[in-house]
Amino acid sequence: MNGDSSGSLDPKGPRAESIADTWWLMLGLGVAVFVLFAVLLAIGLFRHRREGEAPPSERRWIVGGGVVLPVLVLVVVFGATIAAMRTLAEDAPPGALVIEVTGNQWYFEVAYPDAGVTTVDELHLPVGRPVEFHLTSADVIHGFWVPELGGKMDMLPDGVNVLVLQADEPGEWGAPCAEFCGLEHARMQVHVVAESPEDFAAWIESQQ
């Protein structure tokens, strides 16, 4: 398959960007905390320490580094995570394109109900327009996930899950099934094409 293979850390949509920002924040905080404690450990190892009770200055480091700092890091990560979850939970605005995706063993059936078009393992999106995905399964549990656009959701045989995504720039990506669904699971993926609204309209017309 031709196209990009950038992954979730090279976001192409607003929801993917919020997820990537949270990941980079967690990485930065983790590296900063690791470096800080590595430096303090090195100082402690090479510093002559007297036996007996730790002086007040060292007790302050223990309380600050072992209690206060982890709490601050967790609060920051928790806040960033909640903000990202709110972005993912947004309802589709008026005018969103509705696409129905059904997982099968082992392929994706993609339907555009307003246009009367159905494809297999091929998903086209207009750039800059929110898309409301209606996700379900015809047999077992599958998983829908376009890493570059963010969001991951199970496709269940007993209901319909809704996921809202948007592509901000053209591109082509592979979206593998994100839930083990049988022997051919590793080969199950949909080819995603994000294109200009004009090219999308032309593609819909060609399929009709």
Side-chain angles (χ1 to χ4, degrees):
M1 180 179 64
N2 296 325
D4 299 323
S5 182
S6 48
S8 57
L9 295 183
D10 185 16
K12 305 299 182 182
R15 287 158 178 78
E17 185 174 356
S18 67
I19 294 174
D21 289 344
T22 303
W23 189 93
W24 286 113
L25 174 64
M26 294 174 62
L27 177 63
L29 289 174
V31 171
V33 171
F34 175 81
V35 171
L36 174 62
F37 277 91
V39 171
L40 294 178
L41 178 61
I43 293 175
L45 290 176
F46 290 101
R47 178 182 176 184
H48 177 69
R49 302 176 61 181
R50 294 177 298 177
E51 296 183 359
E53 183 180 358
S57 60
E58 292 189 10
R59 290 200 296 270
R60 286 196 297 269
W61 277 109
I62 292 173
V63 173
V67 179
V68 177
L69 182 60
V71 170
L72 290 177
V73 170
L74 290 176
V75 168
V76 172
V77 172
F78 179 75
T81 302
I82 293 299
M85 291 175 63
R86 287 180 177 176
T87 301
L88 294 175
E90 288 181 355
D91 296 331
L97 174 66
V98 175
I99 299 179
E100 299 172 351
V101 184
T102 303
N104 298 266
Q105 288 179 310
W106 289 272
Y107 62 92
F108 290 96
E109 180 181 335
V110 182
Y112 301 79
D114 293 339
V117 171
T118 300
T119 64
V120 172
D121 288 341
E122 185 175 5
L123 170 61
H124 285 245
L125 309 172
V127 170
R129 182 179 178 185
V131 179
E132 182 180 289
F133 289 97
H134 294 183
L135 308 173
T136 188
S137 170
D139 35 58
V140 301
I141 298 176
H142 300 279
F144 182 80
W145 182 36
V146 185
E148 291 78 8
L149 301 184
K152 179 191 295 185
M153 187 165 287
D154 284 342
M155 310 171 76
L156 307 176
D158 59 350
V160 176
N161 287 332
V162 177
L163 178 65
V164 180
L165 299 175
Q166 178 178 314
D168 286 340
E169 58 184 84
E172 298 185 27
W173 315 290
C177 177
E179 192 78 38
F180 180 73
C181 56
L183 296 176
E184 297 297 321
H185 162 74
R187 298 185 179 182
M188 180 177 174
Q189 73 170 349
V190 58
H191 180 200
V192 181
V193 179
E195 53 197 352
S196 67
E198 295 77 16
D199 289 341
F200 174 77
W203 177 82
I204 286 291
E205 184 177 356
S206 68
Q207 296 300 306
Q208 292 173 330

